[in-house]
Amino acid sequence: KQRDRAEGVLREAIRLDPQSDLRRLALAEFLATRKEVKDGEAALLEARTALPHAPKIPMALGTLYEAMKEPAKARAVYEEVVRDQQQRPVGLEAQVKLASLDLAEGRRDLAEKKIQEVLKENPRASDALVLQGKMALDRRDGKEAVTAFRTVLKDQPNAAEVHGLLGQAYLLTGDAPLARESLEKASALNPRYLEPRRLLASLDAAQGRSKDAQQRLEAILKQEPKDVGALGMLFNLQLAGKEWGVTEATMQQLREAGASQVTMHLAEGNLHQAKGDYERAKAAFERALQAASDSPTPLYALIRLDLAQEKQADARARLTRLLATNPEHPYAHGMLGEILVLAGDREGAVKEFKIAVKLKPEWLTPWLDHATLHLTQKNQREAVQVLKSGLAANPGSEELRLLLAASLADLGDTDQAIAEYETM
């Protein structure tokens, strides 16, 4: 830990070979991680001036700017690399970095265009394929994600992160055994990579293997006692098993691990509801809603609590009050539609579903609710129109496409129904 002497050795190394980009990069990394980020930036700027044709230096500078949360500076650096290097490997790498920045800023079309340009030049560009796969995961296109990640693994068979991502892709396609295999491989390659282990626990729980799931989560927490994701999953499993003593202890661990205020209010509410203490559950859920008024989870928890007590009128009144103060709350409109269906007000329900999908077209539930309402009234043609509109907004939705195929079959449009099944 003699940092000054270490820095002196690195600077002496540069003096002995000032043309070495690796020595300059080593100094910049040392300064950024052991001293101040600004010192690392200064070293890279100096290196870029000294070695203007060394492409690794601006790439490192762009990465540092990303870590510093300065995407505009990172973008300027990467764009300069693209101009200088064009279709050379480093230029393509910078293009992928730019695509990643586009994606983070919500410009998905631009990101996808850049990725396609890179893959046209180099179909096996691993960083481009990984980003392509991640974008496919985001839009729930499991098949495309599987193809991208498997292509990367042909060249990098021991890439733990890619095996983990492939496992997520297989979960989307419904291939649970292949998902488990990929997630197990990711965990074996890098035991400190926790996401695959969490997903394996979720898979165990979904398949009714609660004890296996708990053992996995406890192993994660032995390694990382403050892993909020694992603690939250363990809490839910204990809650389902009515293990009140350990559930309360886990909730305290969640609090100490720094779980968000909303997470803690929801956990407290779920615990009180499971115990049958509805008033305290309601108070906790209302605190969660106050802390995250635009989130669907606290609102859904309150509505679910009202319905559990057969207080349909209270649920309706709650949603009506919320919409009076926030008329563009899509989740409130969607949930109110469901309450109106229960009350027999089908026209009112349709009106709310239409508002919900207009405000948040990517939310599938009101599309499905609207179509199902038509189907219960034997209005298959109207249901088909709703489902087609839903798929126009969510082309990767298996739920919408499956219901559309079944509705087309009911109408006797067999060829089109088959086409939808084949698309899936």
Side-chain angles (χ1 to χ4, degrees), residues 157-224:
N158 293 323
E161 182 194 2
V162 183
H163 279 290
L165 292 167
L166 180 59
Q168 294 179 49
Y170 278 134
L171 287 173
L172 280 180
T173 61
D175 294 318
L178 289 175
R180 185 178 290 278
E181 182 182 328
S182 293
L183 295 169
E184 294 279 14
K185 185 80 177 283
S187 300
L189 287 167
N190 183 2
R192 299 201 68 78
Y193 180 22
L194 299 182
E195 183 60 17
R197 295 166 66 184
R198 293 192 204 100
L199 288 170
L200 283 165
S202 293
L203 199 52
D204 285 338
Q207 294 174 344
R209 296 159 57 179
S210 297
K211 286 188 177 178
D212 290 343
Q214 286 200 30
Q215 287 174 359
R216 286 189 192 276
L217 294 168
E218 285 163 0
I220 291 173
L221 292 168
K222 192 172 182 181
Q223 184 176 321
E224 294 289 342

Side-chain angles (χ1 to χ4, degrees), residues 10 195 228 252 266 271 286 317 327 396 413:
L10 289 167
E195 183 60 17
V228 172
Q252 180 58 32
L266 288 170
L271 180 57
E286 285 179 339
D413 193 346

Side-chain angles (χ1 to χ4, degrees), residues 76-266:
V77 171
Y78 294 140
E79 286 174 346
E80 183 180 336
V81 174
V82 171
R83 284 194 300 271
D84 291 345
Q85 300 293 321
Q86 297 184 5
Q87 305 307 320
R88 297 188 187 95
V90 175
L92 296 178
E93 183 185 345
Q95 186 85 319
V96 176
K97 291 282 194 179
L98 287 169
S100 182
L101 290 173
D102 288 337
L103 188 62
E105 293 168 6
R107 299 190 289 180
R108 181 180 294 275
D109 291 345
L110 275 177
E112 291 189 348
K113 183 180 177 183
K114 286 185 175 71
I115 291 300
Q116 291 305 321
E117 289 171 358
V118 172
L119 291 173
K120 185 178 178 181
E121 290 295 323
N122 179 9
R124 302 291 280 268
S126 59
D127 51 352
L129 286 164
V130 168
L131 188 56
Q132 183 186 57
K134 287 179 177 179
M135 287 191 287
L137 284 179
D138 285 344
R139 62 175 184 272
R140 301 187 64 78
D141 187 340
K143 187 176 178 181
E144 183 181 328
V146 165
T147 301
F149 297 136
R150 288 184 64 178
T151 303
V152 175
L153 289 170
K154 287 177 184 177
D155 296 326
Q156 301 178 28
N158 293 323
E161 182 194 2
V162 183
H163 279 290
L165 292 167
L166 180 59
Q168 294 179 49
Y170 278 134
L171 287 173
L172 280 180
T173 61
D175 294 318
L178 289 175
R180 185 178 290 278
E181 182 182 328
S182 293
L183 295 169
E184 294 279 14
K185 185 80 177 283
S187 300
L189 287 167
N190 183 2
R192 299 201 68 78
Y193 180 22
L194 299 182
E195 183 60 17
R197 295 166 66 184
R198 293 192 204 100
L199 288 170
L200 283 165
S202 293
L203 199 52
D204 285 338
Q207 294 174 344
R209 296 159 57 179
S210 297
K211 286 188 177 178
D212 290 343
Q214 286 200 30
Q215 287 174 359
R216 286 189 192 276
L217 294 168
E218 285 163 0
I220 291 173
L221 292 168
K222 192 172 182 181
Q223 184 176 321
E224 294 289 342
K226 294 192 175 183
D227 188 289
V228 172
L231 283 167
M233 292 170 64
L234 183 61
F235 173 83
N236 288 328
L237 284 171
Q238 293 168 344
L239 195 66
K242 298 184 177 180
E243 303 172 42
W244 306 135
V246 289
T247 304
E248 291 189 6
T250 302
M251 190 164 70
Q252 180 58 32
Q253 283 181 273
L254 261 172
R255 187 175 285 108
E256 292 170 357
S260 71
Q261 192 178 38
V262 176
T263 298
M264 293 313 306
H265 291 324
L266 288 170

Side-chain angles (χ1 to χ4, degrees), residues 58-80:
M59 291 301 294
L61 182 60
T63 301
L64 184 65
Y65 283 140
E66 287 189 71
M68 293 167 66
K69 309 293 185 194
E70 296 190 36
K73 287 186 177 181
R75 182 180 291 279
V77 171
Y78 294 140
E79 286 174 346
E80 183 180 336

